[in-house]
Amino acid sequence: RKDGSFIPYDNEIAKLSSQKETYADSVEARRKQTAYRANELLAATEKLMTLNVGNIEELQELGLSFVGILDTSDVAAIGHSFGGATVIHASNLRPSYFTCCIAHDPACDWCPNET
């Protein structure tokens, strides 16, 4: 986006998966990845919520608008395996964003400690 609103890619997280590691190190690396992915999910959810109340220039130019169309009062977080751990953590961080969390076969070992 022109205003710079994005979550930058974290190269340090990617490096962790290429290193030789113990099981405990591996779980800790996955927990960091889960936390990172949860923040990405929350950022996308926040952006969708703002699109419901105000348009952005890029959509306006295309003649598109989501203002008043999205039901932000009923948002489900759904994920499987790594995604399941991600939605559990995201729902724990911002419970007001989601009406439910569906985690199919979540990788619970990969949920950050504060989840």
Side-chain angles (χ1 to χ4, degrees):
R1 298 213 353 101
K2 292 178 185 175
D3 68 358
S5 59
F6 65 93
I7 297 177
Y9 182 75
D10 186 347
N11 290 316
E12 295 305 310
I13 295 288
K15 288 177 189 174
L16 289 173
S17 64
S18 65
Q19 298 172 356
K20 299 261 186 215
E21 52 195 23
T22 66
Y23 177 74
D25 291 337
S26 173
V27 168
E28 187 58 32
R30 300 297 93 64
R31 288 177 177 174
K32 289 179 182 178
Q33 289 175 324
T34 301
Y36 186 83
R37 288 174 51 153
N39 285 326
E40 289 180 316
L41 172 61
L42 293 172
T45 302
E46 289 167 4
K47 188 53 71 177
L48 285 170
M49 289 177 175
T50 62
L51 285 176
N52 195 50
V53 295
N55 212 354
I56 58 172
E57 185 179 325
E58 294 87 350
L59 289 177
Q60 191 92 22
E61 290 172 0
L62 295 170
L64 299 172
S65 176
F66 294 101
V67 176
I69 295 174
L70 304 173
D71 184 1
T72 58
S73 68
D74 191 16
V75 178
I78 303 168
H80 171 260
S81 190
F82 200 169
T86 300
V87 299
I88 288 171
H89 187 57
S91 296
N92 185 56
L93 291 173
R94 300 282 188 287
S96 63
Y97 284 14
F98 308 103
T99 52
C100 69
C101 171
I102 301 169
H104 176 68
D105 196 21
C108 289
D109 279 357
W110 296 354
C111 286
N113 292 333
E114 62 272 11
T115 300

